[in-house]
Amino acid sequence: MKKPLLILSLLMCSIFANAQELILPLWEGTPPLQNDLGLQEKAVEEGIIRIENVQIPQIEVFLPSKQMRTGQAVVIFPGGGYHILAYDWEGRDFAKWLNTQGIVGIVVKYRLPDSKSLTDAKEVPLLDAQRAVRLARHHAEDWLIDPAKIGVMGFSAGGHLASTVSTQYDHEVDRAEDAIDALSARPDFSILVYPVISFRDASAHSGSRKNLIGENASQELIDRFSGELNVTAETPPTFLVHAQDDGGVPIENSFLYYDALNAHKVPASLHIYPKGGHGFGFGLGKGPVAGWRDVLLDWMEDLE
């Protein structure tokens, strides 16, 4: 057994040695819908890296070696209730794993709506998400990405953001635009992991709703940010995974989105595991849910 394990270890070391990492700002200068108040981002590492009060949104791009690349890319939105970003647990770690499959992983450090520097906080996460998808298309040739194979992946509140950009990719706000804004922000596929979807009372994750649209939001805003109400036939194919015992985000969120996708004849794959709780990430040590990534890879291959 030792020789095969040694070969596998050397192979993985080679993969990571050949991988490249790039960090790019989403915007030039002060980002739109933001005042420069001199505020500082905060990052705390307590088991995982938690980032608060993002002021300079960026993408961190993980590139596999050129000979491995499949042409697919995944733009990743970490969760954290629209208050923090679980940046490695639901971001970097998955980008590095995707690299081992030949897939470009792009982690988005998006702005969070509770920052005092924002002028229209509810619009900012979607704006950053659209920009991240557009930047991936803008750099597609340089990064050996097929511009028709760029998906999004989101966890918990990051799943809400991924579903929002999947259903409101053409939503615009009044701001200065550049050539990158002329590119499509529509993802080609979506991967939603224990996602927040609905802001309606029965299924809402109250923390995410409060942080994004406030405690006393109008019904119009609640409906606008309830993903199941905004699905159309143009919504991208979607993979959903959730645990039945999720005590943070009710499993009904995934059911609602799947039902809406199915009603509009959008290809969708829903995977429910009996245990795993909320925030299971890779699912390691949590029983059958540990195998969800293999199911995801099979699904992504079928997108080809």
Side-chain angles (χ1 to χ4, degrees):
M1 284 294 292
K2 290 184 178 179
K3 188 172 182 180
L5 287 174
L6 176 60
I7 293 172
L8 178 60
S9 177
L10 291 173
L11 175 62
M12 296 301 291
C13 288
S14 175
I15 288 170
F16 285 115
N18 289 314
Q20 298 176 338
E21 180 184 346
L22 307 169
I23 297 177
L24 300 174
L26 285 181
W27 310 96
E28 292 186 12
T30 302
L33 305 186
Q34 180 173 324
N35 292 321
D36 186 359
L37 301 180
L39 301 179
Q40 297 297 313
E41 175 183 303
K42 180 181 178 182
V44 177
E45 184 171 1
E46 295 175 345
I48 66 172
I49 297 173
R50 294 176 171 85
I51 296 177
E52 301 177 25
N53 202 35
V54 174
Q55 298 299 304
I56 303 175
Q58 65 183 36
I59 54 174
E60 191 167 2
V61 185
F62 293 81
L63 301 172
S65 57
K66 291 182 178 180
Q67 60 268 34
M68 283 187 65
R69 291 183 215 178
T70 64
Q72 286 181 319
V74 177
V75 179
I76 306 169
F77 305 107
Y82 285 119
H83 172 63
I84 62 104
L85 301 179
Y87 196 70
D88 52 352
W89 181 251
E90 296 172 344
R92 282 176 175 162
D93 290 350
F94 276 88
K96 293 173 183 177
W97 170 71
L98 287 168
N99 273 190
T100 67
Q101 311 302 318
I103 301 165
V104 175
I106 302 171
V107 185
V108 187
K109 186 193 288 186
Y110 56 93
R111 289 172 289 169
L112 298 160
D114 54 1
S115 173
K116 292 181 172 57
S117 62
L118 304 182
T119 60
D120 192 351
K122 70 182 185 302
E123 301 293 346
V124 167
L126 174 59
L127 190 60
D128 285 354
Q130 292 170 319
R131 183 68 170 191
V133 174
R134 287 173 171 142
L135 272 175
R137 288 208 164 92
H138 177 70
H139 290 283
E141 183 176 353
D142 296 336
W143 297 342
L144 303 182
I145 294 171
D146 183 334
K149 295 181 179 180
I150 298 172
V152 292
M153 181 181 202
F155 301 79
S156 193
H160 182 270
L161 182 54
S163 69
T164 304
V165 75
S166 296
T167 54
Q168 300 187 45
Y169 47 84
D170 56 358
H171 179 78
E172 294 296 340
V173 296
D174 186 19
R175 62 182 178 87
E177 296 187 358
D178 59 21
I180 294 172
D181 291 312
L183 298 173
S184 173
R186 179 186 180 274
D188 296 299
F189 57 91
S190 302
I191 303 162
L192 308 182
V193 188
Y194 38 86
V196 176
I197 294 293
S198 184
F199 278 0
R200 292 186 157 193
D201 288 338
S203 302
H205 180 251
S206 58
S208 297
R209 182 174 70 181
K210 176 184 175 182
N211 288 333
L212 186 63
I213 61 175
E215 285 187 292
N216 301 309
S218 67
Q219 191 63 49
E220 181 182 3
L221 269 183
I222 290 170
D223 290 350
R224 183 191 153 199
F225 286 102
S226 292
E228 78 277 15
L229 303 180
N230 295 287
V231 171
T232 71
E234 300 305 314
T235 302
T238 303
F239 179 99
L240 297 120
V241 60
H242 221 120
Q244 192 174 358
D245 65 346
D246 191 324
V249 175
I251 195 173
E252 286 77 13
N253 282 269
S254 286
F255 291 156
L256 287 167
Y257 200 69
Y258 177 83
D259 286 345
L261 292 166
N262 187 48
H264 288 85
K265 302 188 185 307
V266 176
S269 185
L270 172 62
H271 301 271
I272 304 299
Y273 292 87
K275 294 183 179 180
H278 187 68
F280 53 74
F282 279 76
L284 300 177
K286 294 185 177 291
V289 74
W292 78 267
R293 289 167 295 128
D294 294 329
V295 182
L296 171 62
L297 291 176
D298 289 341
W299 181 81
M300 291 179 70
E301 286 183 8
D302 288 342
L303 292 172
E304 298 291 338

